[in-house]
């Protein structure tokens, strides 16, 4: 920062004395204090990337172990690079699990091929063995009985469903990402346009997700949540500051957009804490008594990204949707002709 | 006539445009009324809030009569309101061949207007859609988030880096001129329109926007539009923007892609029963 005015220095001093009174655990690590926005709050603004390779749930091979040793981490890096070297497709799958099992990843679409690794970024890696921090075993808690029954049927649509073999009677059968509606919020998927920009004013924080130009507007002025009549793909978010941590509570999710196949009762609580110049710890708690037997929490380390967000105009060039639907109709026609012929 | 008088005359001409477009500045002898907006934490005018245009510019930037809508079933609620234009001089200076294309576009707007398909609306059209938008202002970046289609753009107040590619919403770089936020918008593609009357541009479009607070609840919005492929000279629109002052005001999600899937892909749907 080139311009350091007297006013800014005064603000920094005031803010530092304020953060000294913040509850323990919310300030930065090792006495580090986050830079200040003009209004004195911790400055979370900028472009941030989620390119971590750490799996959501702890692999069986690492049961009971929440951190790798340096030697284990080096071995893992070697195993992962071998998986990358062997694969032709872009690796959307859990590459850590593949590396642990020393297995070759199967192609997503062996007939026509798929995005190759060119479309993916270099992934970040650290000593953690799972993104889930609570429960301590690193696993999503058991489903409630109700949720088990629900998932027996076909009552939801998630971003990651579908694939070439999925149903395509109409556009609504396809995953939300393919329809260019949303990748969901909070977007936890890593390594594929997983960039965010935070713009903060004293009363509002804007969180842009690069994928499908989704914007989450988070009022931090004490405004009440929307009434249950309003359901939104990205939910309805309200924020407040706890010391240097921005806490964002979201409800009012639309039934089909909900992360991790929860229900409309889902409440997510996100905690954004800038822990160093280059990292925000982004903790997300998922709480839905109709889906899980207890709330659970994951933590993503968002890394400062020097580049800007670019426009992700998806629907405007969605050539795959008419292709997928037309392809399904051609297949049906061929199948009908075949059954007509065999009937003759 | 000395240079000083010439300058005065020019100011007067700018303040009282020929088409009678609202100027937003009560002028006394050609001097704009001075209004000093409340300040943001960084000392700049505070534009934070939810804003909306209240006019019929999205139908037609120029003066126009009311007309029936294209969908019979919608009756009066689908009819198109008349309105007074927002273009200075009430004329868009098309080159002759471009004027012909505009006319064609207007005659076939339902199948050509990109907004019908829920495409990103572009700039300046995003500003005067019949939907609110929200400004989230920091010293380095100003986020403008539009309710329509979750469109947004980030006005970078520090970087002067050029866009590496063409876009629907343009590439916005801003600076302050006194009370006015000036946004220079470039790197457009040629696929957005200015209104449903078929007013269009090429990928050489360059828009300079000016947002000037004129009261606690009003902004004067001006945009100068330049595109040498389509127009013979730069032209200008101006309109007031109103603050949404309801205590509960907020953007309510309008992700319209799912509302146009039947229109765009319905012919590819699986037919049953025949």
């Amino acid at each position: 920062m080139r311009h350091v005015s007297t006013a800014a220095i005064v603000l920094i001093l005031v803010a530092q004395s304020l953060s000294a009174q913040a509850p323990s655990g919310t300030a930065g690590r090792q006495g580090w204090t986050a830079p200040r926005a003009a209004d004195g709050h911790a400055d979370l603004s900028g472009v941030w990337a989620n390119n971590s390779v750490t799996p959501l749930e702890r692999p069986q091979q690492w049961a009971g172990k929440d951190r790798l040793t340096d030697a284990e981490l080096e071995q893992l890096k070697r195993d992962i690079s071998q998986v990358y070297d062997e694969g032709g497709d872009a690796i959307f799958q859990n590459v850590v699990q593949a590396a642990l099992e020393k297995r070759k990843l199967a192609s997503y679409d062996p007939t026509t091929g798929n995005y190759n690794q060119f479309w993916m970024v270099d992934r970040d890696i650290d000593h953690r063995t799972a993104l889930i921090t609570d429960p301590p075993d690193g696993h999503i808690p058991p489903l409630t009985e109700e949720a088990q029954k629900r998932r027996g049927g076909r009552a939801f649509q998630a971003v990651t469903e579908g694939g070439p073999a999925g149903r395509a009677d109409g556009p609504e059968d396809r995953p939300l990402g393919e329809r260019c509606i949303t990748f969901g919020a909070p977007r936890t998927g890593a390594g594929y346009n997983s960039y965010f920009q935070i713009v903060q004013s004293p009363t509002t924080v804007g969180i842009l997700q690069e994928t499908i130009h989704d914007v989450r507007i988070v009022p931090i002025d004490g405004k009440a949540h929307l009434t249950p009549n309003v359901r939104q793909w990205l939910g309805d978010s309200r924020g407040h500051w706890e010391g240097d941590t921005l806490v964002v509570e979201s409800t009012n999710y639309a039934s089909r957009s909900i992360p991790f196949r929860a229900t409309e009762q889902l409440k997510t609580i996100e905690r954004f804490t800038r822990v160093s110049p280059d990292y925000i710890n982004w903790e997300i708690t998922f709480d839905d008594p109709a889906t899980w037997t207890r709330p659970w929490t994951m933590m993503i380390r968002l890394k400062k990204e020097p580049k800007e967000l670019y426009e992700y105009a998806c629907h405007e060039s969605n050539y795959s949707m008419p292709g997928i639907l037309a392809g399904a109709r051609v297949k049906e026609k061929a199948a009908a002709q075949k059954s007509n012929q065999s009937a003759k | 006539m000395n240079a000083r008088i010439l300058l005065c005359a020019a100011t007067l001409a700018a303040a009282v445009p020929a088409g009678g477009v609202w100027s937003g500045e009560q002028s006394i002898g050609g001097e704009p009324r001075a209004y000093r907006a409340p300040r943001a934490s960084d000392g700049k005018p505070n534009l934070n809030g939810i804003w909306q245009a209240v006019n019929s510019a999205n139908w037609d930037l120029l003066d126009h009569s009311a007309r029936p809508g294209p969908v019979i079933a919608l009756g009066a609620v689908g009819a198109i309101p008349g309105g007074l234009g927002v273009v200075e001089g009430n004329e868009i200076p098309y080159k002759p061949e471009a004027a012909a294309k505009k006319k064609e576009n207007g005659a076939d707007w339902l199948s050509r207007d990109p907004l019908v398909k829920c495409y990103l609306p572009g700039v300046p059209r995003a500003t005067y859609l019949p939907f609110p938008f929200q400004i989230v202002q920091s010293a380095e970046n100003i986020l403008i988030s539009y309710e329509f289609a979750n469109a947004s753009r980030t006005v970078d107040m520090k970087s002067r880096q050029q866009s590496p590619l063409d876009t629907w919403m343009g590439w916005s770089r801003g600076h302050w001129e006194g009370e006015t936020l000036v946004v220079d918008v470039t790197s457009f593609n040629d696929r957005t329109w200015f209104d449903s009357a078929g007013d269009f541009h090429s990928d050489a479009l360059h828009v300079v926007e000016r947002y000037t607070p004129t009261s606690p609840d009003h902004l004067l919005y001006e945009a100068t539009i330049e595109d040498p492929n389509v127009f013979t000279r730069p032209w200008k629109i101006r309109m007031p923007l109103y603050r949404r002052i309801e205590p509960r005001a907020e953007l309510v999600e309008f992700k319209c892609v799912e509302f146009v899937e039947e229109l765009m892909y319905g012919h590819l749907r699986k037919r049953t029963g025949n």
Side-chain angles (χ1 to χ4, degrees):
Chain A
M1 200 164 82
R2 300 252 164 79
H3 302 283
V4 181
S5 67
T6 318
I9 292 169
V10 172
L11 266 179
I12 289 166
L13 291 175
V14 170
Q16 279 172 342
S17 66
L18 281 177
S19 69
Q21 297 157 16
S24 63
T26 58
R29 304 282 154 83
Q30 287 107 35
W32 183 83
T33 306
R36 302 289 116 185
D39 67 347
H41 283 301
D43 186 7
L44 305 176
S45 66
V47 178
W48 303 92
N50 169 22
N51 290 328
S52 166
V53 80
T54 306
L56 174 67
E57 297 192 88
R58 180 164 301 133
Q60 202 191 340
Q61 289 85 341
W62 292 337
K65 182 185 187 70
D66 63 355
R67 287 182 70 80
L68 301 175
T69 63
D70 289 346
E72 287 166 332
L73 182 63
E74 288 313 309
Q75 182 60 46
L76 177 64
K77 284 180 186 170
R78 283 192 292 274
D79 292 345
I80 286 176
S81 60
Q82 195 174 337
V83 174
Y84 280 131
D85 289 348
E86 286 170 355
D89 277 7
I91 296 169
F92 292 96
Q93 295 124 302
N94 183 344
V95 68
V96 168
Q97 191 64 51
L100 284 172
E101 294 167 12
K102 304 254 194 279
R103 100 183 122 82
K104 209 171 158 175
L105 289 173
S107 177
Y108 172 78
D109 180 0
T111 53
T112 59
N114 187 25
Y115 294 90
N116 61 20
Q117 199 58 28
F118 168 80
W119 295 93
M120 306 298 278
V121 293
D122 288 339
R123 304 288 292 266
D124 299 325
I125 195 163
D126 61 46
H127 292 81
R128 298 193 302 153
T129 55
L131 295 180
I132 293 180
T133 54
D134 182 56
D137 69 358
H139 288 278
I140 298 176
L143 295 175
T144 61
E145 266 180 47
E146 184 195 335
Q148 288 175 32
K149 272 187 213 150
R150 199 169 64 235
R151 290 192 182 181
R154 192 183 168 282
F156 57 83
Q157 183 196 41
V159 175
T160 50
E161 276 183 90
R167 199 161 89 170
D169 292 356
E172 60 286 339
D173 286 330
R174 306 307 303 169
L176 295 174
E178 244 175 43
R179 294 165 73 188
C180 293
I181 291 176
T182 183
F183 275 57
R187 188 183 171 216
T188 56
Y192 182 75
N193 293 78
S194 304
Y195 297 98
F196 303 85
Q197 183 167 13
I198 297 177
V199 180
Q200 69 190 78
S201 82
T203 53
T204 310
V205 175
I207 305 171
L208 293 92
Q209 305 185 157
E210 186 172 72
T211 38
I212 319 191
H213 52 83
D214 271 333
V215 180
R216 304 172 61 200
I217 295 282
V218 185
I220 46 174
D221 55 3
K223 201 185 276 183
H225 269 294
L226 292 173
T227 63
N229 303 39
V230 184
R231 316 306 308 189
Q232 309 198 114
W233 293 105
L234 306 181
D236 175 58
S237 298
R238 296 291 182 266
H240 66 272
W241 290 95
E242 288 180 10
D244 279 356
T245 298
L246 174 68
V247 183
V248 178
E249 183 188 288
S250 304
T251 57
N252 296 64
Y253 286 100
S255 60
R256 287 171 300 162
S257 67
I258 292 159
F260 297 102
R261 305 178 186 181
T263 70
E264 292 192 355
Q265 291 181 48
L266 175 70
K267 180 162 89 175
T268 61
I269 297 167
E270 296 160 79
R271 302 174 64 86
F272 296 84
T273 310
R274 191 158 178 183
V275 293
S276 72
D278 290 335
Y279 283 97
I280 286 175
N281 280 1
W282 181 25
E283 291 179 87
I284 313 167
T285 299
F286 296 89
D287 185 0
D288 176 9
T291 300
W292 299 293
T293 49
R294 57 163 285 188
W296 57 281
T297 302
M298 66 194 288
M299 198 273 273
I300 289 169
R301 299 175 74 221
L302 292 173
K303 188 179 182 183
K304 186 98 177 147
E305 166 65 40
K307 295 200 196 88
E308 314 199 27
L309 291 194
Y310 297 115
E311 182 176 85
Y312 193 109
C314 176
H315 168 63
E316 290 74 3
S317 303
N318 191 352
Y319 301 107
S320 39
M321 180 59 79
I324 289 164
L325 297 178
R329 302 297 81 81
V330 167
K331 268 188 179 172
E332 282 159 12
K333 207 172 164 185
Q337 276 169 354
K338 204 173 169 189
S339 73
N340 276 351
Q341 277 167 2
S342 58
K344 274 173 196 170
Chain B
M1 204 187 267
N2 65 26
R4 193 183 177 86
I5 294 169
L6 259 178
L7 190 68
C8 257
T11 311
L12 262 176
V16 189
V21 174
W22 178 84
S23 80
E25 299 155 0
Q26 300 294 322
S27 54
I28 303 162
E31 292 299 314
R33 184 183 61 180
Y35 169 73
R36 190 179 148 85
R39 278 9 220 181
S41 318
D42 65 347
K44 301 298 182 192
N46 184 351
L47 307 186
N48 281 302
I50 301 176
W51 304 94
Q52 190 165 347
V54 182
N55 58 37
S56 63
N58 179 50
W59 289 111
D60 194 335
L61 290 174
L62 300 174
D63 290 354
H64 59 278
S65 312
R67 61 185 190 274
V71 181
I72 291 169
L74 283 174
V77 294
I80 293 159
L84 303 183
V86 297
V87 180
E88 214 172 76
N90 196 37
E91 189 208 342
I92 301 175
Y94 281 105
K95 290 177 156 180
E97 64 278 16
K101 186 176 173 189
K102 179 246 159 105
K103 214 172 159 186
E104 267 175 42
N105 283 345
D108 194 19
W109 72 272
L110 207 52
S111 59
R112 292 191 189 188
D113 185 347
L115 209 70
V116 171
K117 296 191 178 74
C118 182
Y119 290 166
L120 288 169
V123 174
R125 193 176 189 182
T127 315
Y128 47 80
L129 293 174
F131 292 85
F133 64 89
Q134 183 157 4
I135 295 179
V136 181
Q137 177 179 340
S138 75
E140 288 80 22
N141 287 292
I142 298 179
L143 165 65
I144 310 183
S145 174
Y146 303 92
E147 184 168 290
F148 183 86
N150 250 69
S152 73
R153 55 198 178 115
T154 306
V155 181
D156 198 312
M157 303 299 288
K158 296 276 161 74
S159 164
R160 288 287 164 267
Q161 196 192 320
Q162 289 300 301
S163 169
L165 72 175
D166 286 354
T167 62
W168 291 74
M169 295 300 291
W171 184 257
S172 299
R173 292 289 174 261
H175 67 274
W176 293 97
E177 287 180 10
E179 294 293 301
T180 301
L181 170 67
V182 182
V183 186
D184 192 87
V185 200
T186 55
S187 304
F188 288 100
N189 64 28
D190 62 356
R191 297 181 66 186
T192 64
W193 281 11
F194 297 114
D195 58 21
S196 293
D199 287 305
F200 74 104
H201 60 84
S202 78
D203 60 4
L205 175 66
H206 174 212
V207 180
V208 179
E209 301 174 282
R210 298 175 64 86
Y211 299 80
T212 310
T214 56
S215 90
D217 297 323
H218 298 90
L219 300 178
L220 167 64
Y221 177 74
E222 300 166 285
T224 303
I225 293 154
E226 193 180 15
D227 182 345
N229 295 341
V230 178
F231 309 114
T232 57
R233 58 172 168 83
W235 52 286
K236 193 170 166 184
I237 62 172
R238 57 162 67 195
M239 65 186 72
L241 299 173
Y242 301 86
R243 186 188 293 280
R244 293 290 299 262
I245 59 170
E246 304 94 309
R248 293 176 66 219
E250 69 179 274
L251 302 188
V252 177
E253 195 170 82
F254 187 78
K255 278 181 163 294
C256 46
V257 171
E258 61 171 335
F259 310 145
V260 302
E261 285 181 326
E262 190 57 34
L263 170 72
M264 296 178 69
Y265 313 126
H267 62 291
L268 296 170
R269 185 178 287 286
K270 182 177 185 175
R271 304 285 160 206
T272 49
N274 52 9

